[in-house]
C-alpha cells in the first residue's frame, strides 16, 4: 500500500480506515497484543481479526513478535505489533526565546533532541530556524514523515496560530509555511493539548477512559480526556484555566497576575508568581526553582520562608484539582510541567486543599505527579504528528 509521502520505504502505507485502522491504532497505543486479547479488546471474532490482519502483516504494517507461553500446555501466543522504528516524527516546542526539538519513533519515544536559541521571533526567522533544524535531523534520518509545532497560545484546526503571546504572534498560518519550507506535512497545536494527546496515546493516560492533566510552569494548563476522547473547545481554547478565580484565602488575597487579575491561579501558582513571592519572603531575587530548592534545603530560616510560599502555591493547585474533580470526576489526575515539584514539596497543603474543596460525594482523586523535562513539550508535539500521520489527517 504505497504512500507518496513515504515513497521507497518498505513499511509505507496509505492512511487506513475502518477495522484495519482500529487494529493498528490499538497495537500502536497499547503495545504488542496476542490475537485473542486484541480481538477481545476490539469486540471482534477470531476469524474477523485474522481476515483484517492478514493483509496488514503482508504489507509489513503489523509484525509478529516472539511467542509468549501461557499458563496452559498449548502453543505459545504470537503477539502482533507494529514496527515502531519504520516512521519517525519531529516535534518542536517554541518559547519566547528558545526552540526545543525532538525526533521520535512511532510510539513517541525520543530518539534525538535539539535545543536552539531564538533571538528573532519574527515569523519568517522562526520558520527558517525550524526548517534548518528539520533539515539537520533528516540529514541523518530518512524516516522522518511529519512534524508538529507546539506553542503556548490559541491554535485553530491544527494549521493556524490565532494568538501566541510569548512570541507576539497573531493569525499566523504556520503549518502551511512549514510545509512549504520543509516539504513535510506540518501541523500546530497548543502545547498543553499536545501533551494531553501524548499522555492519551503513549503515557499514563492510555489505560484510562478519563483523566485530567494539569501543568504548572510559566502558565497553568488543563487537558481533559473524557470518554477516551481529548476534550476540545469550540475555539480550540479548552483548558485555559490559568486565570480561573480561586476560592478561600488564596482567592481573597491581593495577589495579582501579570494581567491584573486578583486571586487567579496564575497570581499564585505560575513561575512568575512563585519567584516573586519567594524573592519577597527570602529577601533576595530568586527563581521559582530556587524557591523549591530552598524549601528542601538545609538552611532552617530559608526553608521555613520558602515552604510557606510553596504551600500557598500548593493550596492553589489543590483548589484547581478539586474544581476539575468536582466537574469531571476523572479516573486519575496527572500533574506535570516545569514546576510539578510544587505537588511534592507542598504535598500536605495540596492534600488539605483538595479535601476542603472537593464535593463530599466524589472520592479523593488519584494524583500522579510526573517527572518532567522540558523536552516533554516537544514530545507532545511529536505525538500530534504521529496521530495526524496514523489517521491520515
Amino acid at each position: 500500500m504505497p504512500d507518496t509521502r513515504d515513497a521507497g520505504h518498505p513499511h509505507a502505507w496509505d492512511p487506513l480506515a475502518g477495522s484495519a485502522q482500529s487494529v493498528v491504532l490499538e497495537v500502536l497505543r497499547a503495545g504488542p497484543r496476542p490475537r485473542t486479547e486484541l480481538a477481545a479488546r476490539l469486540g471482534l471474532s477470531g476469524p474477523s481479526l485474522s481476515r483484517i490482519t492478514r493483509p496488514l502483516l503482508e504489507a509489513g504494517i503489523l509484525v509478529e513478535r516472539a511467542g509468549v507461553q501461557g499458563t496452559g500446555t498449548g502453543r505459545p501466543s504470537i503477539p502482533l505489533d507494529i514496527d515502531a522504528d519504520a516512521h519517525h516524527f519531529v516535534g518542536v516546542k517554541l518559547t519566547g526565546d528558545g526552540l526545543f526539538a525532538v525526533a521520535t519513533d512511532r510510539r513517541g519515544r525520543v530518539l534525538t533532541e535539539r535545543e536552539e536559541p531564538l533571538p528573532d521571533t519574527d515569523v519568517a526567522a522562526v520558520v527558517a530556524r525550524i526548517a534548518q533544524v528539520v533539515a539537520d535531523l533528516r540529514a541523518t534520518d530518512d524516516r522522518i514523515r511529519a512534524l508538529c509545532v507546539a506553542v503556548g497560545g490559541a491554535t485553530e484546526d491544527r494549521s493556524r496560530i490565532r494568538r501566541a503571546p510569548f512570541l507576539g504572534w497573531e493569525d499566523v498560518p504556520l503549518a502551511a509555511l512549514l510545509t512549504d519550507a520543509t516539504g513535510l506535512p506540518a501541523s500546530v497545536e497548543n502545547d498543553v493539548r499536545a501533551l494531553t494527546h501524548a499522555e492519551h496515546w503513549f503515557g499514563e493516560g492510555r489505560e484510562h477512559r478519563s483523566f485530567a492533566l494539569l501543568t504548572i510552569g510559566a502558565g497553568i494548563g488543563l487537558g481533559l480526556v473524557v470518554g477516551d476522547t481529548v476534550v476540545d473547545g469550540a475555539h480550540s481554547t479548552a483548558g485555559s484555566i490559568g486565570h480561573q478565580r480561586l476560592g478561600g484565602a488564596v482567592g481573597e488575597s491581593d495577589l495579582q497576575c501579570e494581567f491584573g487579575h486578583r486571586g487567579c491561579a496564575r497570581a499564585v501558582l505560575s513561575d512568575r508568581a512563585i519567584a516573586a513571592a519567594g524573592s519577597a519572603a527570602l529577601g533576595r531575587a530568586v527563581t521559582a526553582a530556587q524557591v523549591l530548592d530552598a524549601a528542601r534545603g538545609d538552611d532552617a530560616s530559608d526553608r521555613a520562608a520558602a515552604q510557606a510560599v510553596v504551600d500557598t502555591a500548593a493550596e492553589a493547585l489543590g483548589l484547581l484539582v478539586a474544581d476539575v474533580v468536582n466537574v469531571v470526576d476523572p479516573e486519575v489526575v496527572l500533574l506535570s510541567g516545569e514546576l510539578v515539584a510544587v505537588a511534592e514539596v507542598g504535598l500536605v497543603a495540596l492534600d488539605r486543599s483538595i479535601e476542603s474543596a472537593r464535593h463530599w460525594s466524589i472520592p479523593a482523586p488519584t494524583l500522579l505527579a510526573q517527572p518532567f523535562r522540558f523536552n516533554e513539550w516537544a514530545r507532545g508535539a511529536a505525538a500530534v504528528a504521529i496521530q495526524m500521520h496514523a489517521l491520515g489527517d
Side-chain angles (χ1 to χ4, degrees):
M1 298 185 216
D3 182 332
T4 56
R5 292 172 301 178
D6 300 337
H9 195 279
H11 296 160
W13 76 88
D14 282 322
L16 303 170
S19 296
Q21 184 184 79
S22 298
V23 168
V24 173
L25 292 183
E26 180 66 24
V27 173
L28 174 64
R29 289 182 59 189
R33 287 290 183 269
R35 286 172 170 81
T36 53
E37 182 180 342
L38 190 56
R41 290 173 71 103
L42 295 172
L44 296 170
S45 67
S48 293
L49 183 70
S50 294
R51 175 179 53 81
I52 293 165
T53 57
R54 188 176 298 113
L56 298 174
L57 286 162
E58 292 172 352
I61 296 170
L62 293 180
V63 296
E64 292 183 332
R65 297 302 184 194
V68 177
Q69 183 66 54
T71 56
T73 58
R75 292 188 304 171
S77 177
I78 307 297
L80 296 180
D81 198 3
I82 61 164
D83 181 356
D85 210 35
H87 307 290
H88 296 165
F89 302 86
V90 174
V92 175
K93 159 68 173 176
L94 295 177
T95 69
D97 58 5
L99 179 158
F100 300 81
V102 298
T104 74
D105 69 9
R106 204 164 19 154
R107 283 206 168 103
R109 291 178 291 228
V110 173
L111 305 172
T112 59
E113 55 185 297
R114 292 274 299 271
E115 180 179 345
E116 302 269 344
L118 207 61
D120 186 351
T121 58
D122 176 75
V123 172
V126 173
V127 168
R129 180 60 62 94
I130 294 173
Q132 184 59 57
V133 169
V134 171
D136 291 345
L137 293 171
R138 294 179 78 185
T140 56
D141 185 348
D142 65 356
R143 287 166 287 185
I144 291 175
R145 308 293 179 227
L147 77 144
C148 178
V149 174
V151 297
T155 63
E156 184 176 313
D157 298 328
R158 289 189 170 174
S159 62
R160 181 178 295 272
I161 294 177
R162 290 201 293 114
R163 185 165 183 266
F166 293 110
L167 294 163
W169 290 0
E170 292 191 17
D171 196 28
V172 176
L174 188 62
L177 294 174
L178 287 173
T179 294
D180 289 344
T182 65
L184 290 173
S187 52
V188 297
E189 183 59 282
N190 167 269
D191 53 4
V192 175
R193 200 157 46 247
L195 191 58
T196 305
H197 281 287
E199 292 296 338
H200 184 216
W201 272 39
F202 306 118
E204 296 289 347
R206 66 180 178 177
E207 295 297 331
H208 300 284
R209 288 187 57 79
S210 69
F211 70 87
L213 171 69
L214 272 163
T215 62
I216 316 152
I220 315 300
L222 170 66
L224 288 175
V225 169
V226 178
D228 207 28
T229 301
V230 176
V231 175
D232 202 354
H235 303 98
S236 299
T237 55
S240 300
I241 200 171
H243 295 293
Q244 178 161 317
R245 180 73 178 269
L246 301 172
V250 175
E252 295 304 317
S253 72
D254 292 327
L255 297 171
Q256 294 183 350
C257 73
E258 63 269 37
F259 295 104
H261 302 155
R262 183 167 164 265
C264 75
R266 281 178 71 130
V268 185
L269 186 53
S270 67
D271 183 293
R272 171 184 175 274
I274 294 174
S279 297
L282 294 170
R284 60 182 186 274
V286 291
T287 65
Q290 289 169 335
V291 175
L292 289 163
D293 288 340
R296 292 176 289 205
D298 296 328
D299 186 298
S301 176
D302 278 3
R303 186 169 63 248
Q307 187 67 57
V309 173
V310 174
D311 284 349
T312 299
E315 181 183 351
L317 176 60
L319 294 174
L320 289 182
V321 170
D323 283 347
V324 171
V325 169
N326 289 341
V327 173
V328 181
D329 188 20
E331 297 171 42
V332 64
V333 177
L334 307 178
L335 303 177
S336 190
E338 304 92 281
L339 296 180
V340 68
V342 166
E344 173 201 342
V345 180
L347 181 60
V348 173
L350 172 64
D351 287 344
R352 184 174 60 241
S353 179
I354 294 172
E355 189 61 27
S356 69
R358 71 176 173 87
H359 192 273
W360 60 267
S361 66
I362 297 176
T366 299
L367 296 181
L368 181 59
Q370 300 177 299
F372 189 85
R373 293 183 61 223
F374 202 83
N375 72 357
E376 287 295 317
W377 294 119
R379 178 175 172 270
V384 173
I386 294 167
Q387 285 186 345
M388 301 283 280
H389 184 265
L391 299 174
D393 291 339

